[in-house]
Amino acid sequence: MKKIITIIILITAIFYTSESYAYNVTVIGKATIKNLRLRDAYYSALYNAKISSIRWYYKENKITDMEVNDDFFKFIRSYSILEQNIEDNTTVTVKLKIDLDDAALKDARLLLNQYADSTVYIYRGIDDTILPAKQIQNTITNTLSSKQFSLAEQALFLGKIDDIYDEKKINKAFREVNSASLIMFDFRIINNIEDFKEPDNICEVETTVTIVNKKNNSKTIQIVTGNDNNNIIKCYNNAVKEAATDTVAYVRDNIIQLPETATKLQKYNINFVNASNLVLTKNIIDTLSQRGLIKSYKTVSYSHKNVVFEVDSYFSTEDLSRKIQELNFPKQPNKIEFNDRKLILDFSVE
């Protein structure tokens, strides 16, 4: 029997909080109970309420070309259940209060592109005595970065894993980070020269790469790489580098394609001038990072009231200055200047 889901949305209250980028909405979602599956109907009602609230947001703001799906749930800052009922033993009804991220929803396309390109990885199979771990990590990281994959969640992901061979722990850690894909590199050094793909090689490495997404769909590819360099350590490093390059290129071309609307990552400085204290600057730069407006940052210099950060961002200095004004921090800069190389936030009191 065809599954029937009834969707009803009722907006009963809309108001801004003290933060200008928050949008609070009260909404009702419904779902029909089929085959006595009450839990399934309950989660469908939750889903319907959430997705309908986001669709309502775009309709209210006259944005008509946005195809909303559950990827947009990351723009729900929080929600609470106000009521939940079963009507006529056939329909589950939930009433939610949902806090939408107004600032993020405005830039959803760009932020979702970044999410789609955010990946985490693990590698297994090559001992440190053969090739230093740092060398392998740098090879894979640089290869992924060259294809515009973001590794912003990599450190957090690895921090959740104490056994890289425990698939359950790996999948649990992946579900808990804000990355769209997990890439697992399994290296195997081919010890039998008779099995070499190329007889002139002095080393060969078989690499099996498994790519997993949040829907538990996976794709596995395999490649054998080798090198004829006389230095065995350099040989293995080149084989790993070649395997990473070839497989990441394949992933980008065939599995996780770069969105047509993707924006080039830019590097520039953010200068805080006459800031009252370092807490102020850290609050702003951390908020920009947490909200995906900057991909990464590092401190270039600081003094008592002046701090310079180097940042990587998909937003231009002009766009980022606009977002800073929209976020309405408790302490806002009194003057903002920008060019291609830097964004100046001046907190001088005129």
Side-chain angles (χ1 to χ4, degrees):
M1 182 180 292
K2 184 177 181 181
K3 186 175 182 180
I4 300 173
I5 296 179
T6 303
I7 302 174
I8 297 178
I9 178 169
L10 173 64
I11 305 297
T12 59
I14 305 162
F15 55 90
Y16 286 100
T17 67
S18 59
E19 298 172 301
S20 65
Y21 51 85
Y23 223 95
N24 285 327
V25 179
T26 300
V27 58
I28 291 176
K30 296 189 177 186
T32 301
I33 303 170
K34 303 299 294 183
N35 300 323
L36 301 179
R37 295 180 180 273
L38 179 59
R39 180 179 291 272
D40 290 350
Y42 172 74
Y43 284 116
S44 292
L46 285 178
Y47 178 93
N48 294 337
K50 292 176 187 178
I51 207 159
S52 296
S53 68
I54 297 171
R55 286 173 178 159
W56 171 86
Y57 170 87
Y58 285 122
K59 183 178 180 181
E60 181 73 7
N61 287 275
K62 298 180 172 57
I63 302 173
T64 59
D65 60 343
M66 194 73 72
E67 295 184 10
V68 177
N69 55 45
D70 51 6
D71 284 341
F72 285 74
F73 289 173
K74 63 179 54 62
F75 304 133
I76 294 177
R77 301 182 65 198
S78 64
Y79 73 90
S80 57
I81 300 174
L82 302 179
E83 296 178 14
Q84 49 188 351
N85 299 293
I86 299 177
E87 298 178 356
D88 302 324
N89 293 322
T90 60
T91 304
V92 173
T93 301
V94 294
K95 184 177 182 180
L96 305 181
K97 180 181 177 182
I98 296 179
D99 183 5
L100 298 174
D101 191 330
D102 182 35
L105 284 168
K106 289 178 180 177
D107 292 292
R109 285 191 183 89
L110 180 56
L111 294 173
L112 286 173
N113 283 346
Q114 293 182 54
Y115 170 73
D117 291 323
S118 177
T119 192
V120 290
Y121 75 86
I122 60 170
Y123 80 89
R124 304 176 288 204
I126 296 186
D127 192 86
D128 283 3
T129 58
I130 297 175
L131 201 61
K134 190 67 175 177
Q135 206 165 340
I136 300 175
Q137 292 164 8
N138 287 341
T139 295
I140 297 175
T141 296
N142 293 338
T143 304
L144 287 166
S145 297
S146 70
K147 290 293 184 179
Q148 297 188 43
F149 282 104
S150 168
L151 289 166
E153 300 287 308
Q154 179 68 11
L156 179 61
F157 169 70
L158 291 179
K160 296 175 179 291
I161 302 172
D162 57 13
D163 183 356
I164 61 172
Y165 291 95
D166 190 322
E167 301 294 334
K168 288 185 178 179
K169 290 183 178 180
I170 293 169
N171 290 327
K172 183 177 185 294
F174 174 48
R175 288 193 301 271
E176 292 175 352
V177 297
N178 191 29
S179 289
S181 59
L182 162 65
I183 303 179
M184 295 185 284
F185 293 85
D186 283 291
F187 299 111
R188 183 179 72 87
I189 292 176
I190 301 175
N191 295 313
N192 190 349
I193 296 178
E194 295 178 354
D195 295 333
F196 278 12
K197 184 178 179 181
E198 296 292 337
D200 293 334
N201 287 338
I202 66 165
C203 75
E204 283 195 347
V205 176
E206 178 187 79
T207 306
T208 302
V209 182
T210 305
I211 304 97
V212 184
N213 62 26
K214 284 287 170 63
K215 296 180 180 179
N216 291 324
N217 297 324
S218 64
K219 172 76 174 180
T220 300
I221 56 178
Q222 195 172 69
I223 186 171
V224 176
T225 53
N227 198 271
D228 59 0
N229 192 287
N230 289 326
N231 183 313
I232 192 67
I233 300 300
K234 187 175 181 179
C235 178
Y236 281 127
N237 185 52
N238 287 343
V240 169
K241 185 175 182 179
E242 185 181 343
T245 300
D246 290 351
T247 53
V248 169
Y250 179 86
V251 170
R252 175 56 89 194
D253 292 340
N254 298 280
I255 302 175
I256 310 173
Q257 296 177 339
L258 191 67
E260 293 180 1
T261 56
T263 304
K264 184 178 179 181
L265 191 65
Q266 304 170 66
K267 187 183 295 291
Y268 52 82
N269 286 351
I270 299 181
N271 295 13
F272 289 81
V273 178
N274 289 312
S276 58
N277 54 63
L278 292 178
V279 174
L280 165 66
T281 62
K282 197 69 167 61
N283 175 51
I284 292 178
I285 204 75
D286 282 344
T287 300
L288 296 177
S289 177
Q290 292 162 6
R291 300 176 68 81
L293 299 173
I294 60 175
K295 178 184 171 184
S296 60
Y297 70 88
K298 66 178 180 180
T299 305
V300 175
S301 64
Y302 68 90
S303 60
H304 181 56
K305 291 187 176 182
N306 300 311
V307 184
V308 178
F309 294 100
E310 182 184 81
V311 304
D312 292 312
S313 176
Y314 290 98
F315 289 81
S316 67
T317 53
E318 180 178 6
D319 288 337
L320 192 58
S321 69
R322 173 177 56 82
K323 299 304 296 181
I324 289 172
Q325 294 176 72
E326 289 179 0
L327 290 172
N328 194 24
F329 290 99
K331 179 69 173 177
Q332 286 283 96
N334 295 311
K335 184 169 62 174
I336 297 178
E337 299 177 357
F338 55 82
N339 55 41
D340 291 341
R341 292 173 296 175
K342 61 185 175 182
L343 169 63
I344 301 175
L345 307 178
D346 192 341
F347 294 83
S348 302
V349 178
E350 298 182 355

